[in-house]
Amino acid sequence: MTKPISASKPSLNNTDKALHHCDVLVIGSGAAGLSLALHLAKYAKVTVLSKGALTEGSTWYAQGGIAAVLDDHDSTESHVKDTLAAGAGLCHQDAVEFTVARSKNAIKWLVDLGVDFTRSAEGDFHLTREGGHSHRRIIHSADATGKAVHSGLINNALTHANIQLQENRVALDLIKQPDPITKKLRCVGAYVLNRSEDTMECYTAKAVVLACGGASKVYLYSSNPDSASGDGIAMAWRAGCRIGNMEFNQFHPTCLYHPKAKSFLMTEALRGEGAVLKRPNGERFMPDFHPQAELAPRDVVARAIDHEMKRLGAPCMYLDISHRDPAFLESHFPTVMEQCRKFGIDITKEAIPVVPAAHYTCGGIVVNTRGQTDLSHLYAIGETSFTGLHGANRMASNSLLECIVYAQSAAEDIIAKLASTPEPAPCKPWDESQVTNSDEDVVIYHNWDEIRRFMWDYVGIVRTHKRLERALRRIQLLQSEIHEYYANYKISSDLIELRNLAMVAELIIRSAMLRKESRGLHYSLDHPEQSDIAKDTLLVPANFADQTIFI
């Protein structure tokens, strides 16, 4: 079986090239990971691992913007109130207040880095409005905010001497050692696959940060890039950390429906600027479902579209903004217009075919406001974490804000502890002497496809207990197959992702089975009413007792 061995035993990869050390290891190169690295770089040597190219993560593709209180007519109290309402009673008020209070400074930090946000003719920041928000408070860079933010972060990180960016590195598992002082287990690094050289490497550090993004690729239809396979969540669970609220996976209401389009999102800002949803016959339907119509929270809009598609037997619904001035659309939504043109759709003259798609993981690794997990010296920030900010339904454009705010707070905690943190012991090299190359990679692709299909059918927008039981049986069978494959064949990036995807699928299924109500993004036909008591769903791993609890 593939496993770490003692440092004294010969290893195929026991070379200096395969062993790396730094002060802080950051797994993930999106907004959360790079923001944290930039905050740390003045005080520490930081290594940032990117699963693929630096621009392949979800941040790069984020369109809408960042929610922040920047207007004199807005207030932190209003932003907090809107977030709590969207979260359907499950937001942690302390986390919401903590995040919103730091929103203005987060934007200022990005501006100081050189991020170019869209401005009005008067020179002020142009603010748009999205679902669930009572004010215009979404600062954006046209309709490619993620690209603007990510580019700014990458450019600053590339020029910093204390930041090492390494692409095509896929983390496999975390490394734990007893703390020499407290004797409690702590995280000291990770085993990592170097995809470029097809070799296993060992990274050690005084602190490790998971900034790996979400798990929306567990579903057949997703707006996320292929890298969103829940790696951080799965690694933290195997290391003994609690996982919270995994049943709440947000389905973005409007993903482009076209046979040749892959996961292209129709930004929520379209609805913020007046786009309306229509049935195939041209009738508008959202006023039938919610007083805020198209600006209702995402879970409401996604369920409404899903309901209409199933009721009518229609493959999609339609998003229409053709009534707006073409010049306005060109200046505010150039990316959307360009993408739609590629598929023969002119949004100035016709409606856009759309379907819901898995978009954001509201649950994740349980952390506090400093990003600390249950395992000493392991942090989690961004979509891979569960801070309590999003509750049962993430409000639009709070996600990038969370990345920036928690990156700073985690960095502050890491900096305060670096000097007093002992160096980790040498890493045990990875041994592949007992495994062989697989000649049946088709098994990986078949299992990947099967998981995503039954998760969409049985654990999607609308659920039942029978569907969840069926899904649990399937994932348990597949996990046994995957474990056998993992134990006997050489590690590959596809196998790592499949293993993590299966683990996250089980966490989602088990979380959904524990929630005997309908709330936010979790809708059950067996329990259609919302309970009077709002409780988080916390899953506790078998090795949880080994950890030092910070939360």
Side-chain angles (χ1 to χ4, degrees):
M1 179 175 178
T2 305
K3 60 181 180 180
I5 61 173
S6 65
S8 60
K9 184 177 179 180
S11 168
L12 295 180
N13 290 326
N14 192 7
T15 65
D16 290 341
K17 187 177 180 181
L19 304 177
H20 308 268
H21 180 68
C22 57
D23 294 319
V24 183
L25 175 65
V26 182
I27 303 174
S29 59
L34 289 178
S35 295
L36 178 130
L38 289 167
H39 284 299
L40 288 172
K42 184 179 177 180
Y43 309 92
K45 296 284 187 181
V46 185
T47 297
V48 180
L49 304 182
S50 180
K51 197 171 182 179
L54 289 174
T55 58
E56 282 187 8
S58 295
T59 297
W60 188 266
Y61 299 100
Q63 297 177 8
I66 306 174
V69 179
L70 303 171
D71 187 88
D72 291 340
H73 299 291
D74 198 3
S75 67
T76 56
E77 292 79 12
S78 177
H79 190 172
V80 167
K81 183 180 178 181
D82 291 345
T83 301
L84 293 173
L90 270 188
C91 294
H92 296 188
Q93 186 154 347
D94 59 342
V96 177
E97 293 173 348
F98 174 84
T99 307
V100 173
R102 287 159 177 75
S103 63
K104 188 172 184 178
N105 285 339
I107 299 302
K108 181 181 183 302
W109 182 74
L110 290 173
V111 172
D112 290 344
L113 287 181
V115 177
D116 186 20
F117 292 106
T118 299
R119 294 181 181 268
S120 65
E122 293 75 26
D124 299 324
F125 290 125
H126 180 270
L127 304 177
T128 190
R129 184 181 172 193
E130 295 181 350
H133 292 275
S134 58
H135 291 79
R136 283 182 171 264
R137 64 168 68 100
I138 313 302
I139 187 171
H140 61 102
S141 181
D143 61 346
T145 306
K147 184 177 181 179
V149 170
H150 206 181
S151 297
L153 294 172
I154 291 171
N155 291 337
N156 279 272
L158 284 171
T159 59
H160 206 295
N162 274 356
I163 299 176
Q164 182 181 36
L165 301 176
Q166 297 201 345
E167 296 181 313
N168 296 311
R169 300 302 201 282
V170 185
L172 174 65
D173 267 321
L174 299 171
I175 301 170
K176 298 189 290 184
Q177 294 176 358
D179 187 289
I181 299 173
T182 67
K183 308 305 179 184
K184 284 282 190 179
L185 287 175
R186 63 170 176 152
C187 187
V188 298
Y191 290 106
V192 176
L193 173 67
N194 181 334
R195 293 171 63 187
S196 299
E197 300 180 10
D198 195 27
T199 57
M200 290 299 299
E201 299 175 336
C202 177
Y203 288 77
T204 54
K206 290 184 174 183
V208 178
V209 183
L210 297 172
C212 315
S216 286
K217 274 296 175 179
V218 76
Y219 287 100
L220 182 61
Y221 300 111
S222 170
S223 65
N224 288 194
D226 290 340
S227 58
S229 51
D231 300 338
I233 297 169
M235 284 190 290
W237 173 260
R238 290 193 292 266
C241 297
R242 289 173 298 163
I243 305 297
N245 284 8
M246 286 300 292
E247 68 269 39
F248 298 114
N249 194 286
Q250 187 173 72
F251 291 81
H252 196 287
T254 53
C255 200
L256 178 62
Y257 176 76
H258 191 279
K260 295 183 179 181
K262 182 181 180 181
S263 305
F264 187 73
L265 199 67
M266 293 293 109
T267 172
E268 187 145 349
L270 283 163
R271 284 177 282 133
E273 296 297 342
V276 295
L277 284 160
K278 295 180 176 179
R279 300 181 178 100
N281 64 2
E283 294 176 347
R284 189 179 174 196
F285 61 87
M286 275 311 301
D288 299 339
F289 290 88
H290 197 277
Q292 289 181 278
E294 281 78 12
L295 293 179
R298 283 179 174 174
D299 61 318
V300 175
V301 181
R303 271 202 307 276
I305 295 173
D306 183 68
H307 176 272
E308 289 298 296
M309 287 170 56
K310 289 176 178 175
R311 184 178 70 86
L312 298 172
C316 64
M317 291 292 114
Y318 293 86
L319 185 65
D320 192 358
I321 198 169
S322 61
H323 53 280
R324 294 301 304 263
D325 180 64
F328 173 86
L329 297 179
E330 191 70 56
S331 63
H332 283 74
F333 303 108
T335 306
V336 170
M337 292 192 72
E338 179 184 358
Q339 289 294 323
C340 286
R341 284 194 191 108
K342 290 180 181 179
F343 302 108
I345 302 167
D346 183 352
I347 71 170
T348 68
K349 298 178 181 178
E350 58 189 316
I352 308 163
V354 294
V355 293
H359 181 59
Y360 191 88
T361 307
C362 290
I365 307 161
V366 176
V367 299
N368 59 18
T369 54
R370 291 162 288 174
Q372 294 174 319
T373 71
D374 295 320
L375 179 59
S376 179
H377 298 280
L378 177 67
Y379 296 77
I381 55 176
E383 191 176 353
T384 203
S385 68
F386 166 54
T387 64
L389 172 64
H390 306 305
N393 182 25
R394 177 181 72 92
M395 191 166 68
S397 292
N398 269 350
S399 52
L400 283 175
L401 175 62
E402 181 185 47
C403 289
I404 308 304
V405 168
Y406 277 80
Q408 181 176 359
S409 65
E412 291 170 353
D413 194 75
I414 292 170
I415 292 166
K417 296 173 179 175
L418 269 181
S420 61
T421 300
E423 293 286 352
C427 174
K428 295 178 181 180
W430 191 263
D431 181 19
E432 291 183 324
S433 61
Q434 305 300 313
V435 297
T436 62
N437 289 316
S438 170
D439 59 357
E440 294 184 344
D441 282 352
V442 67
V443 174
I444 295 177
Y445 307 124
H446 181 271
N447 287 355
W448 174 286
D449 184 67
E450 184 174 353
I451 289 172
R452 297 180 68 208
R453 285 184 182 278
F454 76 65
M455 286 296 290
W456 182 262
D457 291 337
Y458 301 151
V459 202
I461 296 174
V462 177
R463 301 160 180 176
T464 67
H465 188 71
K466 185 176 181 180
R467 293 175 191 172
L468 295 175
E469 286 184 324
R470 188 175 293 127
L472 183 61
R473 287 195 297 270
R474 290 303 306 145
I475 199 62
Q476 289 173 333
L477 177 60
L478 285 173
Q479 281 184 317
S480 65
E481 294 180 7
I482 293 166
H483 177 73
E484 180 183 1
Y485 199 96
Y486 174 80
N488 292 287
Y489 296 107
K490 188 176 179 181
I491 295 295
S492 68
S493 59
D494 288 334
L495 179 56
I496 293 171
E497 288 186 332
L498 175 64
R499 179 178 178 234
N500 292 334
L501 203 75
M503 184 74 264
V504 170
E506 182 182 352
L507 294 175
I508 294 172
I509 295 164
R510 291 192 180 279
S511 298
M513 294 179 79
L514 288 171
R515 187 162 293 280
K516 308 298 185 183
E517 63 166 347
S518 288
R519 184 185 296 270
L521 300 165
H522 173 80
Y523 188 82
S524 170
L525 292 177
D526 296 318
H527 307 281
E529 301 300 321
Q530 181 173 296
S531 172
D532 293 334
I533 301 174
K535 294 175 60 179
D536 292 326
T537 303
L538 297 180
L539 300 181
V540 182
N543 53 341
F544 174 71
D546 296 334
Q547 316 307 339
T548 299
I549 310 307
F550 288 101
I551 309 305

